[in-house]
Amino acid sequence: MKKLLLPILMLCSIVAFSQTVAQDTTATQNNQDNALQNILNGNASKGITVGGYAQVDYNQPEGANGNLDVHRLVMLLGYKFSDKVQFVTEIEYEHVKELYVEQAFLNYSLNDRLNIRGGLMLVPMGIINEYHEPTTYNGVERPNMDKSIVPTTWREIGVGITGKYNEASLRYQAYIFNGFTSLNGDKTLGGKNGLRNGRQKGAESTVNTPNLSAKVDYYGISGLRLGLSGYFGRTQAEDDVQDIDGADVGISMFGLDARYINQRFSARGQYIHALISDADEYNDLYDADLGSELRGWYAEAAYNLLPLSKVQKLDAFVRYEEYDTHAGTKDANITRNLGYNRQEITAGLSYHIANGAVVKADYQILDNKAVGNDAKGQLNIGFGVWF
C-alpha cells in the first residue's frame, strides 16, 4: 500500500500542475519549429541557435522500490554559417552524472535534393532513433524493443548524403559509418541487449571496415509516413585480433516503420530484423551469447480525448511489443534463452499541456517466455520538454 501511495500523490500533483500551466499556453507556440529543424531547413537567421529537450521520470516496479531520475537533459547548439553551411551538436547529460555528445555534424546544402553531411550522426533505423524527443512519442519511457534491437540512441561517425524529392514524396538518407565494436572493454555483444554494448558513440572509435546505412521515407499520402531502413557491414575488431576467426561478425539489419495521424486518431508501428553471420565463432572466441537473429516489432494506437485544439491534446494510448535478442541461435552455436523473448503491453496518457511540454503516465505489463516466469507490472510517471 505504501508503494502505491507515492505514485498516486505524484500523479495528483502533476495533474494539478498541468492544469495551472495550461492556462498560460498560447496557440502561437504550435507554429514553432524545434531548433534542429530551424537550422537545417534554413529557417534560422545566421548565427547561433539554442534548443534542447529533457525528461524526468518516476518508475515504480511491482514489488520493488521506485526510481526517480532526471533521465536526460540535452542541449542543442547550432551555428548557421550561411544558407548552405550549418553545424549542429547535441550535448547530453543522462542520470545527472553521465555526459555524452549525441550529435556533432557539419551539413552542406547544395539544394533540397542533395545535402552532404559528416560527423557524429544518428543511424536512420526505425522511428525512435531519429525522433526520440519525449514530446514525439507516447509512454514515459521509449519502447523497449528500440533499446534492445535497434539500439537507441544509436549514433556513429560517418559521412553521407540526404535529400528529398517532393514530386515523388520521398526523403532519402545514405551514410558510411564506422560499425559496432566487437569488444567494448570487457563487454561483449549478445545477451538481453543484443548489439547495444557495441555502440562506439564517437568516443575514440575504432574502424577497420566501413558500414553502410540507408533509409527512404514516403510521405505522399496525407497523414501517413512510411519508412524503409537498411544497415549492412561488420563489427570493428582491434588490430591484434583482426586475423582471428570470430574477431568480428557480419550484420544485416532491416526495418519497416509507419506513422499515421487523422484528426484525433494516431497510430504507429515498426518491425526490425537483424541477421548476424559468424556469431558461432564470435561466441567461441569471447565466451559470449550473441544470437544469429534479433527480431522485434510493436504496434500502437492513440486517441486525443480533448477537442481538436492548437494548444493542447490528451492522448490515451495502448502499445503492444514483442522483441527477442535470441530469435535465432542454431547458427550461433548457443542455447536459446527464452527470457530474451519478451512481450510488453503499455497503456497510458500523454497530456500535451503546450506545444513542446508533455506530462505522461502509463502502466506496463512486462513478460517473457522463460519457464516459470511471472509477468511483472510497472507504473511510470514523468514529464518531458522540447524546444
Side-chain angles (χ1 to χ4, degrees):
M1 183 64 183
K2 291 182 179 179
K3 292 186 181 297
L4 289 176
L5 182 59
L6 179 59
I8 293 172
L9 291 174
M10 290 185 67
L11 183 59
C12 292
S13 300
I14 288 175
V15 171
F17 170 76
S18 304
Q19 294 291 347
T20 301
V21 174
Q23 295 174 3
D24 296 327
T25 61
T26 63
T28 57
Q29 291 172 298
N30 290 282
N31 297 320
Q32 297 175 350
D33 282 335
N34 67 84
L36 178 61
Q37 291 172 331
N38 274 333
I39 298 169
L40 297 180
N41 292 343
N43 298 328
S45 57
K46 184 177 179 180
I48 296 175
T49 299
V50 178
Y53 65 91
Q55 177 181 344
V56 179
D57 304 335
Y58 170 62
N59 310 113
Q60 178 60 68
E62 179 183 336
N65 287 339
N67 181 63
L68 290 160
D69 189 22
V70 180
H71 198 149
R72 297 178 180 90
L73 177 61
V74 181
M75 295 305 299
L76 180 145
L77 296 173
Y79 194 86
K80 182 177 179 181
F81 297 93
S82 68
D83 288 340
K84 291 185 177 295
V85 183
Q86 309 92 18
F87 173 72
V88 175
T89 187
E90 287 184 338
I91 312 299
E92 176 177 24
Y93 279 94
E94 289 193 3
H95 317 295
V96 177
K97 57 187 178 181
E98 299 175 14
L99 179 63
Y100 299 98
V101 177
E102 187 163 287
Q103 297 189 77
F105 64 86
L106 187 66
N107 187 79
Y108 183 78
S109 301
L110 293 173
N111 49 55
D112 286 346
R113 294 187 175 188
L114 181 60
N115 298 268
I116 302 171
R117 189 174 294 180
L120 180 63
M121 300 172 290
L122 300 174
V123 176
M125 177 61 65
I127 301 172
I128 293 293
N129 202 55
E130 289 190 276
Y131 304 97
H132 49 251
E133 294 80 5
T135 58
T136 64
Y137 61 89
N138 288 312
V140 175
E141 303 291 348
R142 299 169 181 174
N144 282 321
M145 71 147 287
D146 280 297
K147 299 178 183 179
S148 297
I149 306 295
V150 172
T152 298
T153 301
W154 183 12
R155 70 273 194 191
E156 298 295 352
I157 295 177
V159 62
I161 56 175
T162 72
K164 58 184 179 180
Y165 288 81
N166 286 329
E167 60 272 26
S169 301
L170 292 175
R171 174 178 179 252
Y172 75 90
Q173 302 176 72
Y175 303 101
I176 295 174
F177 286 114
N178 67 273
F180 294 104
T181 182
S182 297
L183 189 65
N184 191 355
D186 59 353
K187 296 179 180 178
T188 59
L189 306 177
K192 66 178 182 179
N193 289 322
L195 301 168
R196 191 173 185 84
N197 285 341
R199 297 176 304 164
Q200 300 199 67
K201 307 177 184 178
E204 298 183 330
S205 302
T206 184
V207 58
N208 68 298
T209 176
N211 287 220
L212 173 65
S213 175
K215 185 174 185 182
V216 175
D217 288 294
Y218 176 73
Y219 50 90
I221 300 174
S222 179
L224 178 66
R225 183 152 187 163
L226 301 174
L228 173 64
S229 313
Y231 179 90
F232 311 96
R234 300 190 69 84
T235 58
Q236 314 297 291
E238 296 291 345
D239 294 334
D240 55 346
V241 296
Q242 285 183 16
D243 297 327
I244 300 176
D245 291 342
D248 60 357
V249 298
I251 301 172
S252 297
M253 185 181 292
F254 306 89
L256 291 170
D257 62 79
R259 287 169 284 169
Y260 180 70
I261 298 176
N262 185 1
Q263 299 295 317
R264 297 186 188 182
F265 175 78
S266 62
R268 62 170 54 190
Q270 69 179 27
Y271 173 82
I272 308 291
H273 193 174
L275 303 173
I276 311 298
S277 61
D278 304 316
D280 53 345
E281 295 175 338
Y282 177 87
N283 290 329
D284 290 342
L285 179 63
Y286 292 115
D287 191 25
D289 63 345
L290 175 63
S292 55
E293 290 186 50
L294 292 73
R295 184 169 57 242
W297 67 274
Y298 73 75
E300 174 187 302
Y303 189 79
N304 178 15
L305 301 178
L306 297 179
L308 288 177
S309 167
K310 294 183 179 180
V311 179
Q312 294 185 340
K313 64 176 181 174
L314 176 62
D315 281 334
F317 78 95
V318 61
R319 179 175 65 241
Y320 178 79
E321 53 187 310
E322 287 189 7
Y323 56 104
D324 188 356
T325 50
H326 270 186
T329 56
K330 183 178 179 181
D331 294 337
N333 197 28
I334 56 175
T335 300
R336 185 180 186 186
N337 188 331
L338 293 177
Y340 299 156
N341 184 358
R342 287 152 283 185
Q343 306 80 43
E344 300 179 1
I345 299 174
T346 305
L349 298 170
S350 298
Y351 185 16
H352 295 260
I353 58 179
N355 184 39
V358 62
V359 178
K360 303 181 181 182
D362 63 66
Y363 189 81
Q364 294 181 296
I365 300 174
L366 312 175
D367 200 2
N368 64 65
K369 294 291 187 180
V371 176
N373 172 70
D374 292 324
K376 301 292 185 181
Q378 178 167 305
L379 176 67
N380 306 297
I381 302 172
F383 73 85
V385 297
W386 179 28
F387 54 92

